[in-house]
Amino acid sequence: MKKTIRIKLKKERAILSDTLPYETPITFSNRFFYEFIIENSLEVEGDKIIWNSLNEANDAVVRLLFGISENEVEKNGAKRTIVIKNGTFITVPFQYGVSHKEDSYRKLSVPHPRNQLQIANFYEKYKELILYYSKRSKFSLRHPHKISDTRLFDDERKSASVVLTNQFDKNLSYRNKHLKSFFGYQKIRNIHEFFESKAYHQCEKKYNVMAQLDISKCFDSIYTHSIAWALLGKGPVKTELANVGNKTLAGSFADDFDSLMQKQNYNETNGILIGPELSRIFAELILQKVDFNLESRLAKSSIYRDKDYSIFRYVDDYFVFFNEEKIYKVIVDTLLEHLSEYKLGLNTEKEIVYKKPIITEITIAKRKISELLNDKIKIDIDEDEEKVDGEGEPLKYGNIFIHAKTLITTYKSVLSESGAEYKSVINYTLTIVESKLKSIFKKYSQVQYDYKTHRDLLDSIDACIEFAFFIYNVAPRANTTIKLSRVLKEIIEFCKKKPIEIDEMHHIFKCISDNISFVIEKYETKNYTQVETLYLLTVLSELGKDYWLPEPSLVKYFGGTYNRGKKTVSFDSSLNYFSITVILFYMRDKLRYGRARKAIKKTIKEKLKSPEASLKKDSELFFLLIDCISCPYLENGFKQDLLKHFGISKKKLRDEIINLRQNWFTKWVNFSFADELDSKQSDEVY
C-alpha cells in the first residue's frame, strides 16, 4: 500500500532543475554536486560564501570551485567564510553546440557551478516576486504559477519516487531527486497541448484566421538591463538613472536579476545564456510586460481581447486569432513597436497564416501518425475457449506482423500529404513507438509459445528498429535521441529476458549496432560535439563487449587522427568537456582503446595546462578537472599532476581529494542506463 510522505524542500533544489540545459549527455547531471552542497551546507549569504568544514579535502574543493587561495578563507571553529569580491561570480559559461537546422547548430550554455549556487540563493530570495511579475500577461501559455510541491511515495517494497504535484504532473513519478522544475507552470507543459486545448478550439470557432509569429533570436537579442524597464517602467528607470546614477537600483530585484544574468555570461549585457530554465524565466518577465503593453495599447485603439482578437504566447512564439486583416495589421505593428522598446523584433520569414478550417500541418500529421501506428504496431490476442490453463482461464495466442517498408512508405505519405516537417513529429512518433512496444512485450509474455508467432515477433522488432532509425536519421536532435534511446532501451531489456534466445538476442543487437554505427559514421564530430549522437555510444555500451566500436571508428567520430603508421593517436585541442568525458566513459579501461586513451589524456593536459587556461573563471575547465580527478579510468599519477598544477601542493591532500567522491558531474560509477533515461525524461520541461 502506498503512503505519501512530505519532503522538506531545500532552496538548493533549483540547481537540480533550473540551471542546466535539457540537452546534455546522459552521463552528466548536477545531482552529485547538489549532494556536495548539502553535505557541506555551502551557500551564498549576502556578501559572503559560507560552509561547514567537514575535512581538508572538502575545503580544498570549495577553494577550487571559487578560485580562491587558502589565505582568503576565514575560519571560525567548523565554519568557513569567504568574502565575495567584485569579480567572484563573473565567469565564462561552458558552451557547446546542438543541431538546430540542417546546416547549422545552436549554442547552449552551462553556467559555472558557483553561479548555479548563486542562482539557488536568488530563487530563495525572490521566488515570490518572480511569481508576482509572472501574472501580468493574459497571453502567456507557460509561466511560473507557484512553487512546485514534492511528495515521497513509499510502498510495501520500500521503493520511492518523487512527484511534482502541480496540476500537470499528478500522474508522473520519478526516482530520487529528479525534479522537473522549481516552479509549477500554467497553463500548458508544451505547445502541443495548446493545439488540443479548449481555448484553441473555441478560437477556431470564433475566428477565421490564425497567424503564427516568432520573436527573432529572442535569447540572443535580450538586453539584460531591460529587465528593469520591464519591471519598473522604461521611462522612470532611465530618468532615475540619469538623475541619480546606477545606485538607484542597487539591491533591487531587477538589479539583482540583471547582475545574475550578466555575471554567468562573463558580464555580457547583450544576450542571455540559452538552455537553463532560469533564462526562460528572465525572458518571460520581459515578455509579460510586452504582452501587457500590447493589450493596453490595442484597447486604447478600441481593439479588444477576446472580442476583436485573441492572442496566445508560448515562450517566444505568438499565436494571433482574428477575423479582419486590418485589425491583424494593427496588432503586428503595435507588437513590433513594443518589442523594439526592449531591443527585440519579429522574424518575418517565420510568419505563417492559417485560414479556416484552422488546423496546422502538425495537427493533421499527428492524427494520421497515431492512426497508422495504432494499426500497424500491435499484437492481436486470441483466446481459445476450448483450452484452459491451470487456473481454468482460456489460453491466449498472439498474432503479430510489423513490416518496416510499409511503415516507412506510409509514414512518408502522411508527412507529404499533411505538409508537416519530419522534425516536428519525430518525438511524437517515437513516443508512440515506445508505448506500443511496451504493450506488445507485456502482452507477449501472457500468450502461449508458438514458433511462427515468435519468429514474427523477432521480425517485427527488427522492423521497429529500422523504422525508428529511419525517421531519426532525417533530423537528429538531442531530445529526439533521448526518445530513440528509450525505444532501444525497451527492446534491449526485453531481449535480455527469457523469451529470447541468446542467438536471437545477438541478431537484434547487431541490428541496433549496425544502425548506430551508421549514425556515428554519418555525423562524425567536426567543430563541436553533437550531444545528440553521444547518447548512442551509451546505448552501444548496453549491448555488451561484442558490440564495442573498433578504435579507428571511435577516433574518427571524435575527430582524431592516427600518426606514425597508426602507432599514436591525436585529438584536436578544441575537443570539449562533454566529448572528453563521454569518450572516457565509453572506453573505460579496455585495452583495445589504449592509444585513444593516451591521446585523450594528452588533450586533457593541453586544455588544463595551456597558458591562457584560467580555472578561476572558466566553467569548462572546472568541470573537466573535477570529473577527471574522480574518473576511475585515469591513473592516480595523472590526477596528482593535475591537482598539483592547480596549487594543491600536499600529496596527502591530493589523495584525499581524489578519493573524496566517486562522481561529481559525470556518473562514472553505478551507472544505470535505464535509470538515467528516466531521470532525463523527468527533466524535460520545455
Side-chain angles (χ1 to χ4, degrees):
M1 177 160 178
K2 290 187 176 181
K3 60 181 179 178
T4 305
I5 308 168
R6 183 67 177 268
I7 297 178
K8 185 179 179 181
L9 301 177
K10 296 181 182 293
K11 67 178 183 181
E12 292 83 4
R13 72 192 181 98
I15 292 169
L16 294 168
S17 58
D18 284 50
T19 61
L20 299 179
Y22 172 64
E23 300 90 341
T24 60
I26 194 170
T27 50
F28 175 86
S29 80
N30 264 350
R31 295 199 301 276
F32 307 105
F33 177 57
Y34 169 84
E35 289 174 1
F36 174 77
I37 290 170
I38 299 303
E39 289 168 6
N40 289 272
S41 301
L42 178 61
E43 61 180 324
V44 178
E45 192 175 285
D47 63 347
K48 294 180 179 178
I49 299 157
I50 300 170
W51 74 96
N52 290 330
S53 177
L54 300 180
N55 53 55
E56 195 176 353
N58 276 290
D59 292 350
V61 171
V62 174
R63 294 198 300 272
L64 288 170
L65 171 63
F66 288 98
I68 52 108
S69 60
E70 189 171 2
N71 59 18
E72 294 178 79
V73 180
E74 298 176 9
K75 299 180 181 180
N76 184 12
K79 188 71 71 178
R80 298 289 183 268
T81 305
I82 303 169
V83 176
I84 299 173
K85 297 178 181 178
N86 287 336
T88 299
F89 288 100
I90 299 173
T91 60
V92 180
F94 166 46
Q95 294 191 316
Y96 61 100
V98 295
S99 294
H100 180 48
K101 296 177 182 177
E102 189 173 341
D103 56 350
S104 66
Y105 66 95
R106 168 179 286 167
K107 275 191 176 180
L108 301 183
S109 299
V110 180
H112 196 290
R114 76 177 75 148
N115 294 99
Q116 296 183 42
L117 191 64
Q118 190 184 29
I119 291 167
N121 185 66
F122 177 83
Y123 268 40
E124 177 66 15
K125 184 177 180 180
Y126 290 120
K127 56 181 181 285
E128 299 298 338
L129 276 176
I130 290 173
L131 293 174
Y132 172 77
Y133 283 111
S134 296
K135 295 175 181 176
R136 293 185 294 176
S137 170
K138 302 285 178 44
F139 302 156
S140 179
L141 288 168
R142 184 186 186 274
H143 60 270
H145 167 63
K146 67 174 187 175
I147 311 300
S148 284
D149 203 1
T150 62
R151 301 281 197 277
L152 181 70
F153 284 79
D154 194 12
D155 62 18
E156 293 176 339
R157 295 170 298 171
K158 305 299 180 186
S159 64
S161 60
V162 173
V163 175
L164 296 186
T165 58
N166 61 35
Q167 61 178 331
F168 304 119
D169 303 316
K170 289 180 180 176
N171 298 321
L172 302 176
S173 61
Y174 306 110
R175 301 175 192 173
N176 305 320
K177 309 177 189 71
H178 306 325
L179 304 178
K180 289 177 73 65
S181 58
F182 185 91
F183 294 103
Y185 286 80
Q186 280 195 339
K187 305 171 185 171
I188 61 172
R189 286 176 300 177
N190 59 62
I191 190 59
H192 303 300
E193 289 185 5
F194 169 58
F195 296 120
E196 298 165 4
S197 68
K198 182 179 179 181
Y200 179 83
H201 293 312
Q202 286 176 336
C203 287
E204 277 186 302
K205 295 176 185 176
K206 187 174 182 179
Y207 302 101
N208 295 323
V209 190
M210 181 192 81
Q212 185 173 334
L213 303 168
D214 172 70
I215 297 176
S216 179
K217 297 182 178 179
C218 181
F219 287 26
D220 289 319
S221 303
I222 284 177
Y223 181 52
T224 64
H225 292 335
S226 65
I227 189 69
W229 308 344
L231 302 185
L232 305 173
K234 186 174 182 179
V237 168
K238 289 213 161 191
T239 300
E240 192 71 11
L241 289 175
N243 294 333
V244 184
N246 292 333
K247 291 182 180 179
T248 187
L249 295 176
S252 68
F253 170 49
D255 185 58
D256 283 356
F257 211 166
D258 180 2
S259 176
L260 181 71
M261 301 305 287
Q262 282 184 56
K263 287 176 178 176
Q264 65 182 352
N265 196 20
Y266 208 39
N267 251 12
E268 182 62 62
T269 57
N270 291 312
I272 59 176
L273 301 188
I274 299 176
E277 178 62 26
L278 173 73
S279 295
R280 287 189 277 276
I281 290 175
F282 189 83
E284 178 65 27
L285 297 194
I286 293 172
L287 294 176
Q288 286 259 335
K289 182 62 173 176
V290 172
D291 295 350
F292 179 84
N293 290 344
L294 174 61
E295 183 181 356
S296 300
R297 180 75 172 276
L298 291 173
K300 288 178 181 178
S301 302
S302 299
I303 299 175
Y304 299 104
R305 181 176 61 86
D306 293 340
K307 178 186 175 186
D308 302 300
Y309 72 93
S310 289
I311 293 178
F312 302 90
R313 177 180 53 78
Y314 182 76
V315 190
D316 57 354
D317 288 318
Y318 281 93
F319 301 89
V320 184
F321 290 87
F322 60 95
N323 288 318
E324 298 181 36
E325 187 69 30
K326 63 180 181 180
I327 287 179
Y328 174 60
K329 188 177 187 310
V330 173
I331 291 172
V332 173
D333 289 344
T334 309
L335 175 57
L336 280 167
E337 182 182 337
H338 287 298
L339 284 171
S340 68
E341 292 177 16
Y342 297 92
K343 301 183 182 293
L344 299 171
L346 294 175
N347 186 343
T348 54
E349 293 182 0
K350 285 192 174 182
E351 180 186 22
I352 306 174
V353 177
Y354 299 94
K355 295 185 178 180
K356 236 173 187 178
I358 302 171
I359 184 167
T360 68
E361 299 90 344
I362 296 173
T363 303
I364 296 170
K366 286 172 68 175
R367 189 173 299 164
K368 291 185 175 182
I369 289 168
S370 177
E371 292 171 357
L372 167 67
L373 300 184
N374 283 332
D375 181 54
K376 299 296 184 184
I377 302 181
K378 63 179 181 178
I379 182 170
D380 295 320
I381 304 296
D382 295 319
E383 293 186 355
D384 191 335
E385 299 289 345
E386 297 181 1
K387 298 179 181 178
V388 296
D389 59 20
E391 298 178 359
E393 296 293 326
L395 294 180
K396 296 178 181 179
Y397 293 89
N399 182 38
I400 181 171
F401 179 75
I402 302 171
H403 194 264
K405 286 185 179 178
T406 303
L407 267 179
I408 291 170
T409 302
T410 312
Y411 189 81
K412 288 193 291 186
S413 298
V414 166
L415 295 191
S416 177
E417 292 165 6
S418 66
E421 294 181 282
Y422 273 89
K423 66 180 182 180
S424 303
V425 292
I426 291 176
N427 283 355
Y428 176 77
T429 305
L430 290 174
T431 298
I432 294 179
V433 172
E434 178 194 357
S435 176
K436 301 297 288 182
L437 283 172
K438 278 184 180 178
S439 175
I440 288 171
F441 295 154
K442 182 178 180 181
K443 289 179 179 179
Y444 186 77
S445 66
Q446 300 168 357
V447 303
Q448 296 298 305
Y449 177 83
D450 174 80
Y451 178 77
K452 181 181 181 303
T453 303
H454 188 70
R455 295 307 309 172
D456 288 344
L457 172 71
L458 298 176
D459 291 341
S460 295
I461 291 173
D462 279 354
C464 287
I465 293 170
E466 293 298 333
F467 174 65
F469 273 99
F470 167 78
I471 60 174
Y472 170 79
N473 271 302
V474 176
R477 298 285 188 277
N479 56 359
T480 305
T481 311
I482 294 168
K483 300 292 186 187
L484 174 65
S485 297
R486 293 189 65 82
V487 171
L488 299 177
K489 182 203 76 168
E490 290 298 324
I491 293 171
I492 292 168
E493 288 184 343
F494 177 74
C495 288
K496 291 180 179 180
K497 294 177 181 176
K498 271 189 176 180
I500 306 299
E501 300 293 334
I502 292 294
D503 58 336
E504 295 169 342
M505 179 188 76
H506 282 298
H507 169 80
I508 293 170
F509 282 8
K510 186 176 186 306
C511 181
I512 294 173
S513 175
D514 288 347
N515 276 284
I516 291 176
S517 296
F518 174 81
V519 173
I520 287 173
E521 185 174 343
K522 182 178 179 181
Y523 297 104
E524 63 189 50
T525 297
K526 295 295 185 185
N527 297 323
Y528 61 94
T529 297
Q530 292 187 313
V531 171
E532 45 268 44
T533 52
L534 290 179
Y535 271 79
L536 299 181
L537 284 180
T538 315
V539 175
L540 277 181
S541 296
E542 291 297 299
L543 301 181
K545 65 180 182 179
D546 295 314
Y547 302 94
W548 293 345
L549 282 176
E551 188 184 65
S553 298
L554 193 65
V555 168
K556 184 181 178 185
Y557 172 69
F558 283 97
T561 55
Y562 280 91
N563 312 309
R564 290 164 38 197
K566 290 199 173 184
K567 289 184 178 180
T568 62
V569 172
S570 61
F571 289 101
D572 194 298
S573 59
S574 65
L575 203 65
N576 74 23
Y577 159 70
F578 280 160
S579 293
I580 291 169
T581 51
V582 170
I583 194 173
L584 280 172
F585 178 87
Y586 181 78
M587 293 188 299
R588 303 179 187 267
D589 51 5
K590 298 166 188 168
L591 294 176
R592 66 170 67 185
Y593 300 126
R595 288 170 295 181
R597 190 180 302 103
K598 186 175 181 180
I600 285 292
K601 287 162 58 180
K602 182 180 178 183
T603 302
I604 292 169
K605 282 193 174 184
E606 287 174 354
K607 289 180 76 72
L608 290 174
K609 292 187 174 186
S610 65
E612 63 272 16
S614 172
L615 196 66
K616 288 187 176 183
K617 296 293 180 187
D618 197 307
S619 303
E620 181 180 12
L621 297 185
F622 178 78
F623 283 122
L624 183 59
L625 172 66
I626 206 76
D627 269 349
C628 282
I629 62 175
S630 62
C631 177
Y633 314 119
L634 296 173
E635 302 85 3
N636 186 273
F638 180 81
K639 301 174 186 180
Q640 291 270 352
D641 183 53
L642 294 181
L643 287 173
K644 189 174 181 180
H645 177 74
F646 289 105
I648 310 298
S649 57
K650 300 176 185 175
K651 184 180 183 304
K652 181 183 177 186
L653 179 57
R654 294 198 297 266
D655 284 332
E656 290 172 353
I657 294 172
I658 290 167
N659 296 318
L660 188 61
R661 304 188 75 85
Q662 291 182 314
N663 304 302
W664 279 101
F665 295 94
T666 295
K667 190 169 186 179
W668 304 112
V669 180
N670 299 322
F671 179 86
S672 165
F673 181 62
D675 287 348
E676 294 304 320
L677 267 183
D678 288 342
S679 167
K680 184 59 70 172
Q681 183 90 337
S682 75
D683 290 337
E684 187 175 16
V685 297
Y686 178 57

